[in-house]
Amino acid sequence: DTAVSQTPKYLVTQMGNDKSIKCEQNLGHDTMYWYKQDSKKFLKIMFSYNNKELIINETVPNRFSPKSPDKAHLNLHINSLELGDSAVYFCASSQDYSRNEQYFGPGTRLTVT
Amino acid sequence: GENVEQHPSTLSVQEGDSAVIKCTYSDSASNYFPWYKQELGKGPQLIIDIRSNVGEKKDQRIAVTLNKTAKHFSLHITETQPEDSAVYFCAARQIQGAQKLVFGQGTRLTINP
């Protein structure tokens, strides 16, 4: 069974569109994260939710809005997509906020044309 | 905030030889240092980690060393095999301000048969 899953794996869309990426974890973890990996492979945290509550919000454009309907899900909605949003987005989870080990999903490659 | 520098950016070694990847961090308060392996098209996978109260940790062919005074830590892979080829990331857990993992820039390791 996949521990952290994301859909879709690939997403190609045009500038100005709105899209969502979904993430689910079946590990029973309380904390979930979204990371962005750019073309140079640099990994940077975007958001973190603990028990459905936002605890980390890095300097991300407000076109990005995370939503956590329950502890097992953390979705990422992106409005008015721009060329610079093209990247691989990773979801991750950890047992709770104080636990260090984070487990990553397979990633969603977003291409904005 | 925390800043992590990783070297080298690329590393090529002969199969059977050892590989060493080094990272330095800036915040002496950081207390957890994981290493992730990312294979092509996959998410980062935690392979080993070390906490600030330990100087060295080993798991089969992989070892990590930590020098808190110098604020650097290293990943050592012995008896390298072709399946070790991947991008490796170090990270440090920032605990002041937003508690989050700050990643190094990554090292692309290639094992030559």
Side-chain angles (χ1 to χ4, degrees):
Chain A
D1 284 345
T2 305
V4 182
S5 59
Q6 295 178 228
T7 54
K9 187 162 176 62
Y10 300 97
L11 186 52
V12 181
T13 188
Q14 292 184 326
M15 281 191 334
N17 285 348
D18 303 338
K19 290 293 179 185
S20 292
I21 307 171
K22 296 187 175 183
C23 177
E24 177 181 1
Q25 53 93 4
N26 63 5
L27 297 166
H29 288 172
D30 284 349
T31 307
M32 297 183 72
Y33 311 81
W34 277 112
Y35 285 86
K36 180 180 181 180
Q37 186 172 50
D38 62 24
S39 57
K40 295 185 179 179
K41 293 285 193 180
F42 187 62
L43 262 173
K44 192 171 189 304
I45 191 167
M46 300 171 68
F47 301 103
S48 175
Y49 269 74
N50 185 61
N51 217 350
K52 301 195 299 175
E53 183 180 337
L54 181 66
I55 54 173
I56 292 177
N57 184 350
E58 293 290 285
T59 50
V60 178
N62 57 16
R63 298 182 295 104
F64 290 77
S65 53
K67 285 188 173 51
S68 182
D70 55 58
K71 281 192 335 181
H73 296 85
L74 180 62
N75 304 323
L76 183 64
H77 188 75
I78 315 170
N79 288 328
S80 304
L81 278 155
E82 300 177 357
L83 291 176
D85 298 332
S86 295
V88 182
Y89 292 85
F90 288 101
C91 178
S93 73
S94 62
Q95 187 166 350
D96 56 48
Y97 180 63
S98 64
R99 301 296 178 107
N100 296 305
E101 296 85 356
Q102 292 185 20
Y103 298 91
F104 283 75
T108 295
R109 181 175 292 278
L110 172 65
T111 303
V112 182
T113 62
Chain B
E2 177 63 274
N3 183 51
V4 178
E5 296 286 332
Q6 182 173 345
H7 299 280
S9 56
T10 60
L11 180 60
S12 184
V13 302
Q14 288 297 120
E15 183 177 352
D17 289 350
S18 296
V20 181
I21 303 171
K22 299 182 179 182
C23 289
T24 59
Y25 60 100
S26 61
D27 187 350
S28 57
S30 292
N31 62 359
Y32 171 72
F33 308 92
W35 284 90
Y36 284 84
K37 175 184 181 182
Q38 186 177 19
E39 296 176 323
L40 193 62
K42 297 185 177 180
Q45 177 189 7
L46 179 66
I47 56 171
I48 196 167
D49 56 15
I50 192 166
R51 285 165 173 76
S52 56
N53 58 349
V54 176
E56 184 173 358
K57 183 177 178 180
K58 190 173 181 181
D59 182 4
Q60 299 182 348
R61 298 185 297 108
I62 294 174
V64 57
T65 58
L66 171 65
N67 183 327
K68 281 172 41 180
T69 304
K71 290 188 283 188
H72 67 69
F73 56 113
S74 301
L75 177 71
H76 304 253
I77 307 174
T78 58
E79 300 171 18
T80 53
Q81 300 168 5
E83 53 265 35
D84 294 330
S85 294
V87 178
Y88 290 80
F89 292 94
C90 64
R93 181 177 167 91
Q94 173 181 297
I95 62 171
Q96 300 196 77
Q99 294 192 31
K100 60 183 181 181
L101 286 182
V102 178
F103 283 82
Q105 298 90 333
T107 296
R108 183 174 298 277
L109 175 63
T110 302
I111 309 301
N112 301 309

